[in-house]
PDB file of all heavy atoms in Angstrom:
ATOM      1  N   PRO A1462       3.154 -17.123  -5.690  1.00 91.00           N
ATOM      2  CA  PRO A1462       4.453 -17.785  -5.601  1.00 91.00           C
ATOM      3  C   PRO A1462       5.482 -17.198  -6.576  1.00 91.00           C
ATOM      4  O   PRO A1462       5.142 -16.759  -7.670  1.00 91.00           O
ATOM      5  CB  PRO A1462       4.143 -19.236  -5.961  1.00 91.00           C
ATOM      6  CG  PRO A1462       2.700 -19.410  -5.623  1.00 91.00           C
ATOM      7  CD  PRO A1462       2.068 -18.090  -5.950  1.00 91.00           C
ATOM      8  N   ALA A1463       6.725 -17.203  -6.138  1.00 89.00           N
ATOM      9  CA  ALA A1463       7.843 -16.779  -6.981  1.00 89.00           C
ATOM     10  C   ALA A1463       8.889 -17.898  -7.013  1.00 89.00           C
ATOM     11  O   ALA A1463       8.790 -18.871  -6.269  1.00 89.00           O
ATOM     12  CB  ALA A1463       8.459 -15.486  -6.443  1.00 89.00           C
ATOM     13  N   ARG A1464       9.886 -17.752  -7.842  1.00 89.00           N
ATOM     14  CA  ARG A1464      10.898 -18.801  -7.988  1.00 89.00           C
ATOM     15  C   ARG A1464      11.818 -18.882  -6.781  1.00 89.00           C
ATOM     16  O   ARG A1464      12.382 -19.921  -6.493  1.00 89.00           O
ATOM     17  CB  ARG A1464      11.715 -18.565  -9.265  1.00 89.00           C
ATOM     18  CG  ARG A1464      10.871 -18.712 -10.524  1.00 89.00           C
ATOM     19  CD  ARG A1464      11.670 -18.426 -11.787  1.00 89.00           C
ATOM     20  NE  ARG A1464      10.796 -18.444 -12.950  1.00 89.00           N
ATOM     21  CZ  ARG A1464      10.470 -19.529 -13.627  1.00 89.00           C
ATOM     22  NH1 ARG A1464      10.933 -20.697 -13.237  1.00 89.00           N
ATOM     23  NH2 ARG A1464       9.677 -19.465 -14.666  1.00 89.00           N
ATOM     24  N   GLU A1465      11.989 -17.755  -6.094  1.00 89.00           N
ATOM     25  CA  GLU A1465      12.851 -17.729  -4.915  1.00 89.00           C
ATOM     26  C   GLU A1465      12.002 -17.522  -3.660  1.00 89.00           C
ATOM     27  O   GLU A1465      11.052 -16.750  -3.662  1.00 89.00           O
ATOM     28  CB  GLU A1465      13.886 -16.614  -5.036  1.00 89.00           C
ATOM     29  CG  GLU A1465      14.858 -16.823  -6.191  1.00 89.00           C
ATOM     30  CD  GLU A1465      15.888 -15.704  -6.284  1.00 89.00           C
ATOM     31  OE1 GLU A1465      15.849 -14.792  -5.428  1.00 89.00           O
ATOM     32  OE2 GLU A1465      16.714 -15.749  -7.208  1.00 89.00           O
ATOM     33  N   LYS A1466      12.358 -18.205  -2.593  1.00 90.00           N
ATOM     34  CA  LYS A1466      11.640 -18.078  -1.329  1.00 90.00           C
ATOM     35  C   LYS A1466      12.179 -16.888  -0.540  1.00 90.00           C
ATOM     36  O   LYS A1466      13.375 -16.617  -0.556  1.00 90.00           O
ATOM     37  CB  LYS A1466      11.799 -19.356  -0.500  1.00 90.00           C
ATOM     38  CG  LYS A1466      11.251 -20.605  -1.167  1.00 90.00           C
ATOM     39  CD  LYS A1466      11.567 -21.844  -0.342  1.00 90.00           C
ATOM     40  CE  LYS A1466      11.070 -23.109  -1.041  1.00 90.00           C
ATOM     41  NZ  LYS A1466      11.432 -24.332  -0.293  1.00 90.00           N
ATOM     42  N   ASN A1467      11.279 -16.195   0.144  1.00 92.00           N
ATOM     43  CA  ASN A1467      11.684 -15.115   1.038  1.00 92.00           C
ATOM     44  C   ASN A1467      10.834 -15.190   2.299  1.00 92.00           C
ATOM     45  O   ASN A1467      10.231 -16.221   2.606  1.00 92.00           O
ATOM     46  CB  ASN A1467      11.552 -13.753   0.344  1.00 92.00           C
ATOM     47  CG  ASN A1467      10.106 -13.396   0.024  1.00 92.00           C
ATOM     48  OD1 ASN A1467       9.207 -14.227   0.102  1.00 92.00           O
ATOM     49  ND2 ASN A1467       9.878 -12.146  -0.336  1.00 92.00           N
ATOM     50  N   PHE A1468      10.752 -14.102   3.049  1.00 92.00           N
ATOM     51  CA  PHE A1468       9.996 -14.095   4.310  1.00 92.00           C
ATOM     52  C   PHE A1468       8.539 -14.484   4.092  1.00 92.00           C
ATOM     53  O   PHE A1468       7.903 -15.060   4.979  1.00 92.00           O
ATOM     54  CB  PHE A1468      10.066 -12.702   4.951  1.00 92.00           C
ATOM     55  CG  PHE A1468       9.057 -11.743   4.384  1.00 92.00           C
ATOM     56  CD1 PHE A1468       7.840 -11.533   5.008  1.00 92.00           C
ATOM     57  CD2 PHE A1468       9.306 -11.083   3.189  1.00 92.00           C
ATOM     58  CE1 PHE A1468       6.890 -10.677   4.467  1.00 92.00           C
ATOM     59  CE2 PHE A1468       8.370 -10.222   2.643  1.00 92.00           C
ATOM     60  CZ  PHE A1468       7.160 -10.012   3.288  1.00 92.00           C
ATOM     61  N   PHE A1469       7.985 -14.176   2.910  1.00 93.00           N
ATOM     62  CA  PHE A1469       6.581 -14.468   2.622  1.00 93.00           C
ATOM     63  C   PHE A1469       6.318 -15.968   2.678  1.00 93.00           C
ATOM     64  O   PHE A1469       5.346 -16.426   3.293  1.00 93.00           O
ATOM     65  CB  PHE A1469       6.244 -13.903   1.243  1.00 93.00           C
ATOM     66  CG  PHE A1469       4.784 -13.990   0.859  1.00 93.00           C
ATOM     67  CD1 PHE A1469       3.787 -13.596   1.736  1.00 93.00           C
ATOM     68  CD2 PHE A1469       4.421 -14.427  -0.405  1.00 93.00           C
ATOM     69  CE1 PHE A1469       2.445 -13.660   1.372  1.00 93.00           C
ATOM     70  CE2 PHE A1469       3.093 -14.493  -0.774  1.00 93.00           C
ATOM     71  CZ  PHE A1469       2.110 -14.106   0.106  1.00 93.00           C
ATOM     72  N   TYR A1470       7.183 -16.740   2.065  1.00 93.00           N
ATOM     73  CA  TYR A1470       7.052 -18.200   2.095  1.00 93.00           C
ATOM     74  C   TYR A1470       7.168 -18.712   3.531  1.00 93.00           C
ATOM     75  O   TYR A1470       6.369 -19.540   3.975  1.00 93.00           O
ATOM     76  CB  TYR A1470       8.131 -18.835   1.216  1.00 93.00           C
ATOM     77  CG  TYR A1470       8.141 -20.353   1.267  1.00 93.00           C
ATOM     78  CD1 TYR A1470       7.314 -21.101   0.444  1.00 93.00           C
ATOM     79  CD2 TYR A1470       8.980 -21.028   2.149  1.00 93.00           C
ATOM     80  CE1 TYR A1470       7.323 -22.489   0.490  1.00 93.00           C
ATOM     81  CE2 TYR A1470       8.992 -22.411   2.212  1.00 93.00           C
ATOM     82  CZ  TYR A1470       8.160 -23.136   1.374  1.00 93.00           C
ATOM     83  OH  TYR A1470       8.167 -24.505   1.438  1.00 93.00           O
ATOM     84  N   THR A1471       8.161 -18.206   4.257  1.00 93.00           N
ATOM     85  CA  THR A1471       8.362 -18.634   5.650  1.00 93.00           C
ATOM     86  C   THR A1471       7.161 -18.301   6.509  1.00 93.00           C
ATOM     87  O   THR A1471       6.719 -19.107   7.338  1.00 93.00           O
ATOM     88  CB  THR A1471       9.620 -17.962   6.226  1.00 93.00           C
ATOM     89  OG1 THR A1471      10.743 -18.270   5.387  1.00 93.00           O
ATOM     90  CG2 THR A1471       9.895 -18.446   7.642  1.00 93.00           C
ATOM     91  N   LEU A1472       6.602 -17.116   6.305  1.00 93.00           N
ATOM     92  CA  LEU A1472       5.432 -16.692   7.079  1.00 93.00           C
ATOM     93  C   LEU A1472       4.219 -17.579   6.794  1.00 93.00           C
ATOM     94  O   LEU A1472       3.458 -17.934   7.713  1.00 93.00           O
ATOM     95  CB  LEU A1472       5.101 -15.232   6.762  1.00 93.00           C
ATOM     96  CG  LEU A1472       3.940 -14.604   7.517  1.00 93.00           C
ATOM     97  CD1 LEU A1472       4.202 -14.598   9.020  1.00 93.00           C
ATOM     98  CD2 LEU A1472       3.688 -13.191   7.018  1.00 93.00           C
ATOM     99  N   ILE A1473       4.044 -17.945   5.542  1.00 93.00           N
ATOM    100  CA  ILE A1473       2.935 -18.836   5.179  1.00 93.00           C
ATOM    101  C   ILE A1473       3.063 -20.170   5.904  1.00 93.00           C
ATOM    102  O   ILE A1473       2.085 -20.685   6.469  1.00 93.00           O
ATOM    103  CB  ILE A1473       2.896 -19.045   3.650  1.00 93.00           C
ATOM    104  CG1 ILE A1473       2.398 -17.782   2.957  1.00 93.00           C
ATOM    105  CG2 ILE A1473       1.990 -20.234   3.284  1.00 93.00           C
ATOM    106  CD1 ILE A1473       2.535 -17.818   1.448  1.00 93.00           C
ATOM    107  N   GLN A1474       4.263 -20.737   5.901  1.00 93.00           N
ATOM    108  CA  GLN A1474       4.459 -22.022   6.577  1.00 93.00           C
ATOM    109  C   GLN A1474       4.219 -21.888   8.082  1.00 93.00           C
ATOM    110  O   GLN A1474       3.622 -22.772   8.707  1.00 93.00           O
ATOM    111  CB  GLN A1474       5.883 -22.543   6.318  1.00 93.00           C
ATOM    112  CG  GLN A1474       6.256 -22.665   4.845  1.00 93.00           C
ATOM    113  CD  GLN A1474       5.185 -23.367   4.021  1.00 93.00           C
ATOM    114  OE1 GLN A1474       4.683 -24.431   4.388  1.00 93.00           O
ATOM    115  NE2 GLN A1474       4.824 -22.768   2.891  1.00 93.00           N
ATOM    116  N   THR A1475       4.645 -20.777   8.666  1.00 91.00           N
ATOM    117  CA  THR A1475       4.415 -20.540  10.098  1.00 91.00           C
ATOM    118  C   THR A1475       2.929 -20.443  10.403  1.00 91.00           C
ATOM    119  O   THR A1475       2.430 -21.053  11.360  1.00 91.00           O
ATOM    120  CB  THR A1475       5.119 -19.245  10.533  1.00 91.00           C
ATOM    121  OG1 THR A1475       6.523 -19.376  10.301  1.00 91.00           O
ATOM    122  CG2 THR A1475       4.882 -18.973  12.019  1.00 91.00           C
ATOM    123  N   ASN A1476       2.202 -19.687   9.586  1.00 90.00           N
ATOM    124  CA  ASN A1476       0.766 -19.538   9.815  1.00 90.00           C
ATOM    125  C   ASN A1476       0.020 -20.861   9.662  1.00 90.00           C
ATOM    126  O   ASN A1476      -0.955 -21.125  10.376  1.00 90.00           O
ATOM    127  CB  ASN A1476       0.186 -18.497   8.853  1.00 90.00           C
ATOM    128  CG  ASN A1476       0.471 -17.078   9.302  1.00 90.00           C
ATOM    129  OD1 ASN A1476       0.744 -16.835  10.474  1.00 90.00           O
ATOM    130  ND2 ASN A1476       0.421 -16.142   8.381  1.00 90.00           N
ATOM    131  N   LYS A1477       0.456 -21.681   8.736  1.00 89.00           N
ATOM    132  CA  LYS A1477      -0.170 -22.999   8.570  1.00 89.00           C
ATOM    133  C   LYS A1477       0.045 -23.860   9.814  1.00 89.00           C
ATOM    134  O   LYS A1477      -0.873 -24.539  10.275  1.00 89.00           O
ATOM    135  CB  LYS A1477       0.391 -23.702   7.338  1.00 89.00           C
ATOM    136  CG  LYS A1477      -0.100 -23.136   6.013  1.00 89.00           C
ATOM    137  CD  LYS A1477       0.519 -23.913   4.860  1.00 89.00           C
ATOM    138  CE  LYS A1477      -0.016 -23.445   3.525  1.00 89.00           C
ATOM    139  NZ  LYS A1477       0.582 -24.201   2.385  1.00 89.00           N
ATOM    140  N   ARG A1478       1.267 -23.829  10.359  1.00 88.00           N
ATOM    141  CA  ARG A1478       1.551 -24.616  11.561  1.00 88.00           C
ATOM    142  C   ARG A1478       0.758 -24.114  12.757  1.00 88.00           C
ATOM    143  O   ARG A1478       0.226 -24.912  13.549  1.00 88.00           O
ATOM    144  CB  ARG A1478       3.050 -24.575  11.864  1.00 88.00           C
ATOM    145  CG  ARG A1478       3.905 -25.373  10.895  1.00 88.00           C
ATOM    146  CD  ARG A1478       5.300 -25.588  11.442  1.00 88.00           C
ATOM    147  NE  ARG A1478       6.010 -24.327  11.605  1.00 88.00           N
ATOM    148  CZ  ARG A1478       6.760 -23.764  10.661  1.00 88.00           C
ATOM    149  NH1 ARG A1478       6.880 -24.345   9.479  1.00 88.00           N
ATOM    150  NH2 ARG A1478       7.396 -22.637  10.885  1.00 88.00           N
ATOM    151  N   ILE A1479       0.655 -22.792  12.893  1.00 86.00           N
ATOM    152  CA  ILE A1479      -0.115 -22.216  14.006  1.00 86.00           C
ATOM    153  C   ILE A1479      -1.575 -22.618  13.899  1.00 86.00           C
ATOM    154  O   ILE A1479      -2.216 -22.949  14.898  1.00 86.00           O
ATOM    155  CB  ILE A1479       0.027 -20.684  14.010  1.00 86.00           C
ATOM    156  CG1 ILE A1479       1.457 -20.287  14.384  1.00 86.00           C
ATOM    157  CG2 ILE A1479      -0.967 -20.052  14.985  1.00 86.00           C
ATOM    158  CD1 ILE A1479       1.735 -18.801  14.256  1.00 86.00           C
ATOM    159  N   GLN A1480      -2.101 -22.596  12.689  1.00 82.00           N
ATOM    160  CA  GLN A1480      -3.508 -22.943  12.500  1.00 82.00           C
ATOM    161  C   GLN A1480      -3.780 -24.403  12.870  1.00 82.00           C
ATOM    162  O   GLN A1480      -4.804 -24.720  13.483  1.00 82.00           O
ATOM    163  CB  GLN A1480      -3.911 -22.693  11.054  1.00 82.00           C
ATOM    164  CG  GLN A1480      -5.411 -22.866  10.812  1.00 82.00           C
ATOM    165  CD  GLN A1480      -5.792 -22.431   9.415  1.00 82.00           C
ATOM    166  OE1 GLN A1480      -5.210 -21.511   8.857  1.00 82.00           O
ATOM    167  NE2 GLN A1480      -6.775 -23.092   8.841  1.00 82.00           N
ATOM    168  N   VAL A1481      -2.873 -25.295  12.512  1.00 82.00           N
ATOM    169  CA  VAL A1481      -3.025 -26.702  12.879  1.00 82.00           C
ATOM    170  C   VAL A1481      -3.008 -26.857  14.396  1.00 82.00           C
ATOM    171  O   VAL A1481      -3.797 -27.598  14.979  1.00 82.00           O
ATOM    172  CB  VAL A1481      -1.900 -27.551  12.240  1.00 82.00           C
ATOM    173  CG1 VAL A1481      -1.916 -28.963  12.823  1.00 82.00           C
ATOM    174  CG2 VAL A1481      -2.071 -27.593  10.734  1.00 82.00           C
ATOM    175  N   LYS A1482      -2.141 -26.110  15.040  1.00 77.00           N
ATOM    176  CA  LYS A1482      -2.020 -26.193  16.499  1.00 77.00           C
ATOM    177  C   LYS A1482      -3.272 -25.656  17.182  1.00 77.00           C
ATOM    178  O   LYS A1482      -3.749 -26.203  18.177  1.00 77.00           O
ATOM    179  CB  LYS A1482      -0.785 -25.413  16.963  1.00 77.00           C
ATOM    180  CG  LYS A1482      -0.490 -25.539  18.449  1.00 77.00           C
ATOM    181  CD  LYS A1482       0.808 -24.830  18.798  1.00 77.00           C
ATOM    182  CE  LYS A1482       1.115 -24.965  20.299  1.00 77.00           C
ATOM    183  NZ  LYS A1482       2.385 -24.271  20.646  1.00 77.00           N
ATOM    184  N   ARG A1483      -3.813 -24.570  16.657  1.00 68.00           N
ATOM    185  CA  ARG A1483      -4.987 -23.940  17.275  1.00 68.00           C
ATOM    186  C   ARG A1483      -6.305 -24.591  16.847  1.00 68.00           C
ATOM    187  O   ARG A1483      -7.336 -24.343  17.446  1.00 68.00           O
ATOM    188  CB  ARG A1483      -5.045 -22.461  16.876  1.00 68.00           C
ATOM    189  CG  ARG A1483      -3.976 -21.591  17.542  1.00 68.00           C
ATOM    190  CD  ARG A1483      -4.111 -20.178  17.028  1.00 68.00           C
ATOM    191  NE  ARG A1483      -3.200 -19.262  17.709  1.00 68.00           N
ATOM    192  CZ  ARG A1483      -2.997 -18.009  17.324  1.00 68.00           C
ATOM    193  NH1 ARG A1483      -3.632 -17.538  16.266  1.00 68.00           N
ATOM    194  NH2 ARG A1483      -2.164 -17.224  17.985  1.00 68.00           N
ATOM    195  N   GLY A1484      -6.278 -25.368  15.809  1.00 68.00           N
ATOM    196  CA  GLY A1484      -7.518 -25.866  15.242  1.00 68.00           C
ATOM    197  C   GLY A1484      -8.086 -24.832  14.300  1.00 68.00           C
ATOM    198  O   GLY A1484      -7.359 -24.005  13.756  1.00 68.00           O
ATOM    199  N   LYS A1485      -9.366 -24.808  14.129  1.00 64.00           N
ATOM    200  CA  LYS A1485      -9.996 -23.907  13.162  1.00 64.00           C
ATOM    201  C   LYS A1485     -10.585 -22.662  13.815  1.00 64.00           C
ATOM    202  O   LYS A1485     -11.428 -21.986  13.233  1.00 64.00           O
ATOM    203  CB  LYS A1485     -11.087 -24.656  12.392  1.00 64.00           C
ATOM    204  CG  LYS A1485     -10.539 -25.779  11.522  1.00 64.00           C
ATOM    205  CD  LYS A1485     -11.632 -26.422  10.695  1.00 64.00           C
ATOM    206  CE  LYS A1485     -11.067 -27.516   9.793  1.00 64.00           C
ATOM    207  NZ  LYS A1485     -12.116 -28.161   8.970  1.00 64.00           N
ATOM    208  N   HIS A1486     -10.152 -22.329  14.994  1.00 69.00           N
ATOM    209  CA  HIS A1486     -10.714 -21.168  15.684  1.00 69.00           C
ATOM    210  C   HIS A1486     -10.247 -19.852  15.067  1.00 69.00           C
ATOM    211  O   HIS A1486     -10.943 -18.864  15.109  1.00 69.00           O
ATOM    212  CB  HIS A1486     -10.346 -21.222  17.171  1.00 69.00           C
ATOM    213  CG  HIS A1486     -10.904 -22.437  17.866  1.00 69.00           C
ATOM    214  ND1 HIS A1486     -12.252 -22.647  17.999  1.00 69.00           N
ATOM    215  CD2 HIS A1486     -10.305 -23.506  18.433  1.00 69.00           C
ATOM    216  CE1 HIS A1486     -12.461 -23.793  18.641  1.00 69.00           C
ATOM    217  NE2 HIS A1486     -11.297 -24.336  18.902  1.00 69.00           N
ATOM    218  N   ARG A1487      -9.033 -19.841  14.529  1.00 78.00           N
ATOM    219  CA  ARG A1487      -8.524 -18.618  13.912  1.00 78.00           C
ATOM    220  C   ARG A1487      -7.666 -18.971  12.718  1.00 78.00           C
ATOM    221  O   ARG A1487      -6.727 -19.740  12.825  1.00 78.00           O
ATOM    222  CB  ARG A1487      -7.717 -17.810  14.916  1.00 78.00           C
ATOM    223  CG  ARG A1487      -7.133 -16.532  14.308  1.00 78.00           C
ATOM    224  CD  ARG A1487      -6.500 -15.667  15.368  1.00 78.00           C
ATOM    225  NE  ARG A1487      -5.892 -14.490  14.800  1.00 78.00           N
ATOM    226  CZ  ARG A1487      -5.361 -13.497  15.511  1.00 78.00           C
ATOM    227  NH1 ARG A1487      -5.365 -13.581  16.827  1.00 78.00           N
ATOM    228  NH2 ARG A1487      -4.826 -12.463  14.925  1.00 78.00           N
ATOM    229  N   GLN A1488      -7.998 -18.393  11.580  1.00 85.00           N
ATOM    230  CA  GLN A1488      -7.274 -18.680  10.344  1.00 85.00           C
ATOM    231  C   GLN A1488      -6.421 -17.481   9.966  1.00 85.00           C
ATOM    232  O   GLN A1488      -6.923 -16.369   9.807  1.00 85.00           O
ATOM    233  CB  GLN A1488      -8.263 -19.001   9.219  1.00 85.00           C
ATOM    234  CG  GLN A1488      -7.591 -19.409   7.916  1.00 85.00           C
ATOM    235  CD  GLN A1488      -8.611 -19.799   6.855  1.00 85.00           C
ATOM    236  OE1 GLN A1488      -9.809 -19.828   7.117  1.00 85.00           O
ATOM    237  NE2 GLN A1488      -8.133 -20.106   5.667  1.00 85.00           N
ATOM    238  N   ASN A1489      -5.116 -17.693   9.826  1.00 88.00           N
ATOM    239  CA  ASN A1489      -4.207 -16.618   9.453  1.00 88.00           C
ATOM    240  C   ASN A1489      -3.684 -16.749   8.029  1.00 88.00           C
ATOM    241  O   ASN A1489      -3.049 -15.826   7.529  1.00 88.00           O
ATOM    242  CB  ASN A1489      -3.013 -16.573  10.414  1.00 88.00           C
ATOM    243  CG  ASN A1489      -3.376 -15.959  11.748  1.00 88.00           C
ATOM    244  OD1 ASN A1489      -4.279 -15.139  11.833  1.00 88.00           O
ATOM    245  ND2 ASN A1489      -2.687 -16.363  12.789  1.00 88.00           N
ATOM    246  N   HIS A1490      -3.916 -17.890   7.400  1.00 91.00           N
ATOM    247  CA  HIS A1490      -3.459 -18.083   6.031  1.00 91.00           C
ATOM    248  C   HIS A1490      -4.651 -18.395   5.134  1.00 91.00           C
ATOM    249  O   HIS A1490      -5.434 -19.297   5.417  1.00 91.00           O
ATOM    250  CB  HIS A1490      -2.448 -19.230   5.951  1.00 91.00           C
ATOM    251  CG  HIS A1490      -2.050 -19.553   4.548  1.00 91.00           C
ATOM    252  ND1 HIS A1490      -1.355 -18.670   3.759  1.00 91.00           N
ATOM    253  CD2 HIS A1490      -2.279 -20.654   3.775  1.00 91.00           C
ATOM    254  CE1 HIS A1490      -1.165 -19.211   2.563  1.00 91.00           C
ATOM    255  NE2 HIS A1490      -1.709 -20.403   2.551  1.00 91.00           N
ATOM    256  N   PHE A1491      -4.778 -17.620   4.055  1.00 91.00           N
ATOM    257  CA  PHE A1491      -5.879 -17.808   3.105  1.00 91.00           C
ATOM    258  C   PHE A1491      -5.276 -17.996   1.718  1.00 91.00           C
ATOM    259  O   PHE A1491      -4.424 -17.219   1.301  1.00 91.00           O
ATOM    260  CB  PHE A1491      -6.803 -16.582   3.115  1.00 91.00           C
ATOM    261  CG  PHE A1491      -7.427 -16.318   4.454  1.00 91.00           C
ATOM    262  CD1 PHE A1491      -6.742 -15.607   5.420  1.00 91.00           C
ATOM    263  CD2 PHE A1491      -8.690 -16.800   4.755  1.00 91.00           C
ATOM    264  CE1 PHE A1491      -7.302 -15.357   6.666  1.00 91.00           C
ATOM    265  CE2 PHE A1491      -9.261 -16.563   5.999  1.00 91.00           C
ATOM    266  CZ  PHE A1491      -8.565 -15.838   6.956  1.00 91.00           C
ATOM    267  N   GLN A1492      -5.730 -19.015   1.019  1.00 91.00           N
ATOM    268  CA  GLN A1492      -5.115 -19.371  -0.257  1.00 91.00           C
ATOM    269  C   GLN A1492      -6.197 -19.830  -1.221  1.00 91.00           C
ATOM    270  O   GLN A1492      -7.081 -20.598  -0.858  1.00 91.00           O
ATOM    271  CB  GLN A1492      -4.093 -20.489  -0.022  1.00 91.00           C
ATOM    272  CG  GLN A1492      -3.378 -20.970  -1.254  1.00 91.00           C
ATOM    273  CD  GLN A1492      -2.246 -21.936  -0.903  1.00 91.00           C
ATOM    274  OE1 GLN A1492      -1.454 -21.656  -0.015  1.00 91.00           O
ATOM    275  NE2 GLN A1492      -2.188 -23.058  -1.595  1.00 91.00           N
TER     276      GLN A1492
END
């Protein structure tokens, strides 16, 4: 994480939403 948000933050949020929609079949965000 950094103090300012950029595409990286947006991409993380997108991947989290996709994962919820798909269930646990494919994970695109690892933390």
Side-chain angles (χ1 to χ4, degrees):
R1464 294 178 186 274
E1465 296 180 1
K1466 299 175 183 177
N1467 66 348
F1468 83 96
F1469 186 47
Y1470 176 85
T1471 304
L1472 182 61
I1473 287 171
Q1474 305 312 312
T1475 300
N1476 282 339
K1477 286 180 176 180
R1478 288 195 296 270
I1479 291 173
Q1480 187 172 327
V1481 170
K1482 185 175 180 180
R1483 288 178 175 171
K1485 295 185 178 180
H1486 298 296
R1487 179 172 177 174
Q1488 184 177 356
N1489 284 332
H1490 174 65
F1491 300 84
Q1492 180 172 313

